Amino acid sequence: MSHGLKRPMLIRVFDCCILVREERGHNLCVSNKFQARVLILDSSAPRSPKTWVMLRPAVLGLLLACVVSLSRSAVILENGMPILWAQTASEVSELPSQNGIVSPDPWNFLNRQSFYRLLIAVTDPYLGSMGTGPTDGPLWGLPLQLGWMLTSGRLVDPTGTTTCGLQTGDPMCISTQSWWGCVNYFTSTFPFLSAAQQGFFGPDIQVQLQVPEGVEDFCTTYSDCLTRYPDAMSKWDVFFQAVKTYAESTLPENEKKDSLLGMYWQAQMASTYASAACNARQSHYSSEEVSFANNWLNSAEYVSAAHFQASLEKSAMFMTPLPSRILKEGDKAPNIADLSQEENHSLSIFTWMRNIDRFLGGSLLRLWKRAMCSVTSREKGKDLLEQLLLNKSFATSTFLSIITGMTTSC
């Protein structure tokens, strides 16, 4: 397995066989034994994350294909971390820059995923109220969500006019025509630009996001986004300011955590509402995919009201049952043959929640929000959502009766 490599450095571990090849001067070698399939990189090659960012798309696509091939369910974790986490930037200085201005490309998956890694790194020291673990912070759900979009094919050009996102093109490309990629733009670039403005990445850091030629409907700087979407950007500013001030607060830890989570979800939902600018892109998808997309947005209202702590562990539990491919015409849960029971169940529950809320004229969501009136009730709400989405034997009628009872205690 040496193939002339000196002091090989372990980079990734995959349970699949990929070929031995040489790529841009980096000797890549993969074992084909199931018990020890590893990718090693010549120790004489550069080791910074920029090495990975600059690798040709074919290599990253090969790595991604290996990960996805391991499961028919949604793939959101790789060695216990978000997809391709080790290939993202760990310092702002590792992102592209021009004339002293940080200029990342948010339409490149690794750049966009780097936003989340950097945000988690700079906020984690202030978020002791979330828990003692390194993955307890509320931002971990975001890179898992983006990873799911990547591995399920939702960042690919849905029009089919380009190879953006395809293995035959650039698998790290996020299509500007993707509704999912567009919505995620608002929940990735907004917090990154706000955190930079609040000084989390150091003093005088300026960020100017790259934009593909001919694309004009996305803001690219803090001031530009603040002008176009003042509600969302101001809510992210409030959250990041509170992250620092609450670290010194004398409030009880549970109250501090709940308050921070409330501000986080206000910012997150404001970004989601701003992403209505992406709605025209839904025309590229099947009616089943559009229905799921809208149900997915609707479910965020429930999660937000409960002040869900989107730690790595909790987020992974809720995202693993999401559909592992784009839905097509004729897909009807819970009887989609090539999706797992868990995926079929989650799709059925999303549909049920949306349909009941419509039938009741929005009363279900209003009832839920009214029930989430205290720290204690929100903790109960999180447990209730977990049962509803993950426990196939949990009756939907039980869900309704419990939240109806909870509102009487508010």
Side-chain angles (χ1 to χ4, degrees):
M1 183 171 170
S2 65
H3 295 277
L5 297 181
K6 301 176 183 178
R7 296 179 288 107
M9 177 176 63
L10 178 64
I11 301 295
R12 311 296 305 133
V13 179
F14 298 116
D15 189 21
C16 63
C17 175
I18 62 178
L19 53 87
V20 174
R21 65 184 299 166
E22 185 171 299
E23 191 70 44
R24 296 188 77 174
H26 304 295
N27 295 320
L28 300 176
C29 171
V30 182
S31 162
N32 61 359
K33 299 182 185 295
F34 275 96
Q35 64 269 28
R37 292 187 173 84
V38 296
L39 173 64
I40 56 178
L41 179 67
D42 188 339
S43 60
S44 64
R47 300 185 184 184
S48 76
K50 281 188 177 178
T51 299
W52 284 104
V53 173
M54 296 303 293
L55 282 177
R56 273 166 44 185
V59 177
L60 292 169
L62 198 58
L63 303 185
L64 178 62
C66 260
V67 177
V68 175
S69 70
L70 303 183
S71 173
R72 61 184 293 219
S73 299
V75 180
I76 57 172
L77 290 173
E78 178 190 2
N79 296 334
M81 298 300 284
I83 294 296
L84 298 177
W85 199 244
Q87 284 77 58
T88 56
S90 59
E91 301 285 345
V92 172
S93 60
E94 294 166 4
L95 291 174
S97 62
Q98 187 174 12
N99 300 324
I101 298 175
V102 180
S103 55
D105 178 6
W107 301 103
N108 172 275
F109 174 83
L110 291 180
N111 276 210
R112 195 181 287 194
Q113 190 77 313
S114 293
F115 295 169
Y116 294 138
R117 184 176 179 181
L118 294 168
L119 284 169
I120 289 169
V122 297
T123 57
D124 188 63
Y126 300 98
L127 295 174
S129 61
M130 298 294 160
T132 57
T135 58
D136 287 336
L139 296 170
W140 281 99
L142 297 174
L144 292 186
Q145 184 172 270
L146 181 59
W148 163 71
M149 292 178 185
L150 177 75
T151 61
S152 65
R154 288 178 166 84
L155 301 180
V156 172
D157 182 354
T159 69
T161 57
T162 72
T163 58
C164 178
L166 296 175
Q167 298 297 321
T168 54
D170 180 358
M172 295 295 104
C173 174
I174 299 175
S175 172
T176 57
Q177 292 304 308
S178 164
W179 177 84
W180 297 93
C182 180
V183 169
N184 181 262
Y185 186 92
F186 289 81
T187 57
S188 58
T189 60
F190 282 18
F192 184 74
L193 291 170
S194 174
Q197 180 70 18
Q198 300 305 319
F200 274 89
F201 303 124
D204 304 321
I205 293 290
Q206 297 183 59
V207 181
Q208 169 77 60
L209 302 175
Q210 296 180 37
V211 59
E213 186 177 352
V215 176
E216 299 178 350
D217 51 349
F218 296 97
C219 58
T220 58
T221 65
Y222 173 83
S223 59
D224 185 15
C225 293
L226 182 63
T227 299
R228 294 201 209 182
Y229 306 100
D231 185 57
M233 291 304 294
S234 62
K235 282 183 168 62
W236 280 115
D237 288 345
V238 167
F239 168 70
F240 286 116
Q241 290 163 8
V243 164
K244 288 184 177 180
T245 57
Y246 272 49
E248 306 298 327
S249 172
T250 57
L251 282 172
E253 292 298 293
N254 66 325
E255 292 183 21
K256 190 187 303 185
K257 178 175 77 170
D258 183 73
S259 182
L260 281 170
L261 289 173
M263 285 181 274
Y264 165 76
W265 279 108
Q266 285 181 7
Q268 179 75 352
M269 293 309 296
S271 286
T272 301
Y273 300 147
S275 72
C278 305
N279 286 353
R281 290 167 172 81
Q282 288 193 343
S283 64
H284 303 316
Y285 300 92
S286 69
S287 59
E288 283 79 3
E289 180 72 5
V290 171
S291 177
F292 164 62
N294 292 332
N295 294 343
W296 176 76
L297 289 177
N298 181 64
S299 69
E301 297 281 1
Y302 294 84
V303 172
S304 169
H307 293 186
F308 176 69
Q309 184 177 348
S311 66
L312 183 71
E313 180 183 5
K314 285 289 186 181
S315 297
M317 193 164 55
F318 278 93
M319 290 185 194
T320 299
L322 294 179
S324 54
R325 63 163 175 81
I326 293 177
L327 301 182
K328 53 185 185 288
E329 298 294 347
D331 282 337
K332 300 295 181 185
N335 300 308
I336 306 175
D338 64 335
L339 296 187
S340 68
Q341 289 185 358
E342 291 76 17
E343 290 169 274
N344 272 288
H345 174 71
S346 67
L347 286 170
S348 297
I349 292 298
F350 282 160
T351 301
W352 174 83
M353 293 172 72
R354 182 75 166 171
N355 288 345
I356 289 293
D357 192 52
R358 281 176 175 169
F359 180 75
L360 297 175
S363 294
L364 179 62
L365 182 56
R366 287 196 297 271
L367 191 68
W368 175 263
K369 289 183 175 181
R370 198 157 63 242
M372 300 297 104
C373 59
S374 67
V375 174
T376 302
S377 65
R378 286 189 284 272
E379 288 298 325
K380 291 180 181 177
K382 294 170 194 173
D383 293 336
L384 192 56
L385 284 177
E386 185 174 329
Q387 288 295 315
L388 180 66
L389 293 171
L390 304 178
N391 183 354
K392 291 190 287 292
S393 64
F394 186 76
T396 52
S397 57
T398 304
F399 177 81
L400 286 172
S401 63
I402 291 176
I403 63 172
T404 301
M406 288 174 67
T407 59
T408 62
S409 65
C410 291

